Amino acid sequence: MERIPILRVGNILLLSIQVELHDSLVQQIQSDVLGALEKEPAAGLVVDISSVEILDTYTARALAQLAQMSGLMGSRTILTGMRPAIAFTLTEMGFNATGFRTALDVDQAITMLNRQASKRRRPAAPNRANA
Amino acid sequence: MERIPILRVGNILLLSIQVELHDSLVQQIQSDVLGALEKEPAAGLVVDISSVEILDTYTARALAQLAQMSGLMGSRTILTGMRPAIAFTLTEMGFNATGFRTALDVDQAITMLNRQASKRRRPAAPNRANA
């Protein structure tokens, strides 16, 4: 069975989807990503779909689920490279993109995730009510 | 025709090869990478072949050519994720891996490329003969 390799770039996991997504493949991806996060935590997950030409609402929902699952394991998901036709169709079909964020490309997504990670590392501002 | 997306991560281009490589695909990759380097230069090129199960000497040579071409355009190539069986077979076949470097995974390759890039950015040591 085909498998999408999960690439680690610093503290971010990167998936480059290059085949049309179908049910069992998305399930495989979900299980592989959660396994990778269990082995070594990651601040973020970037899923690039710039090669994907068709994405139905079922698969989009499965990707949103992947984002939710990864979120529960401490990793934020950003979907990158969505083609205009897919964005158009998903919206027309009433798909509501909650659960994951999107970015134009992988570079932008990694910048977003690193900025968030550095914010979380910064000490919290003193609470004025308690000061 | 299938195309491998070229992902930009900072000043590095990343290719995740997920299909068996054949002649015309490698030629397509060569032309796409050189096109991407022409559009915007990159310090390095990382080619991940962790999903590739078969790599003949012809294709390995084509990848070495890709590294040479990219080198001429100012970008160093690192091949990552080579499976033990491929490393074994290529060596048995007398393939000489000149032209490209290898790393265990993408993360290691990016660290290597960034270290080199920061070295090149450092000012050159003063030439004592001219001092």
Side-chain angles (χ1 to χ4, degrees):
Chain A
M1 196 175 139
E2 59 196 332
R3 275 187 121 99
I4 313 288
I6 300 174
L7 308 176
R8 192 171 277 271
V9 178
N11 62 347
I12 287 162
L13 298 182
L14 173 62
L15 268 89
S16 166
I17 315 272
Q18 297 172 15
V19 290
E20 296 314 317
L21 288 165
H22 50 80
D23 304 10
S24 59
L25 181 58
V26 178
Q27 280 167 16
Q28 179 74 54
I29 291 173
Q30 287 177 345
S31 129
D32 285 352
V33 166
L34 298 187
L37 287 176
E38 189 190 11
K39 247 171 72 185
E40 197 179 341
L45 170 69
V46 178
V47 182
D48 183 78
I49 56 165
S50 55
S51 291
V52 174
E53 292 183 5
I54 300 163
L55 190 74
D56 58 31
T57 50
Y58 172 85
T59 317
R61 217 166 282 131
L63 287 177
Q65 276 184 346
L66 170 68
Q68 277 189 321
M69 294 170 188
S70 308
L72 290 174
M73 291 185 73
S75 175
R76 296 177 190 219
T77 300
I78 300 188
L79 200 71
T80 64
M82 189 182 286
R83 298 193 174 206
I86 294 181
F88 187 90
T89 313
L90 283 181
T91 308
E92 285 274 299
M93 302 283 285
F95 176 73
N96 198 347
T98 51
F100 60 82
R101 297 170 62 195
T102 51
L104 203 60
D105 56 30
V106 172
D107 204 27
Q108 196 186 48
I110 290 184
T111 307
M112 281 161 70
L113 288 168
N114 282 334
R115 203 179 302 140
Q116 283 178 346
S118 72
K119 255 191 214 162
R120 268 177 289 174
R121 272 197 302 273
R122 233 179 278 160
N127 189 335
R128 281 166 190 247
N130 294 341
Chain B
M1 196 174 138
E2 60 197 331
R3 275 186 121 99
I4 312 288
I6 300 174
L7 308 176
R8 192 172 277 271
V9 178
N11 62 346
I12 288 163
L13 298 183
L14 173 62
L15 269 89
S16 167
I17 315 271
Q18 297 171 15
V19 290
E20 296 315 317
L21 288 165
H22 51 80
D23 305 11
S24 58
L25 180 59
V26 177
Q27 280 168 15
Q28 179 73 55
I29 291 173
Q30 287 177 346
S31 126
D32 285 352
V33 166
L34 298 187
L37 288 176
E38 189 189 11
K39 247 171 71 183
E40 196 179 339
L45 171 69
V46 177
V47 182
D48 184 78
I49 56 164
S50 56
S51 293
V52 174
E53 291 184 6
I54 300 164
L55 190 73
D56 58 30
T57 50
Y58 173 85
T59 317
R61 217 166 281 130
L63 287 177
Q65 276 184 346
L66 170 68
Q68 278 189 321
M69 295 170 187
S70 308
L72 291 173
M73 292 185 72
S75 175
R76 296 178 189 216
T77 300
I78 300 188
L79 200 69
T80 63
M82 188 181 286
R83 297 193 176 206
I86 295 180
F88 187 91
T89 314
L90 283 182
T91 308
E92 285 274 300
M93 302 285 284
F95 176 74
N96 198 346
T98 51
F100 60 82
R101 297 170 63 196
T102 51
L104 202 60
D105 56 30
V106 171
D107 204 26
Q108 197 186 49
I110 290 184
T111 307
M112 282 161 70
L113 288 168
N114 282 334
R115 203 180 300 141
Q116 283 178 346
S118 71
K119 257 190 212 163
R120 271 176 287 174
R121 271 198 301 271
R122 235 178 277 161
N127 190 335
R128 282 165 191 248
N130 294 343

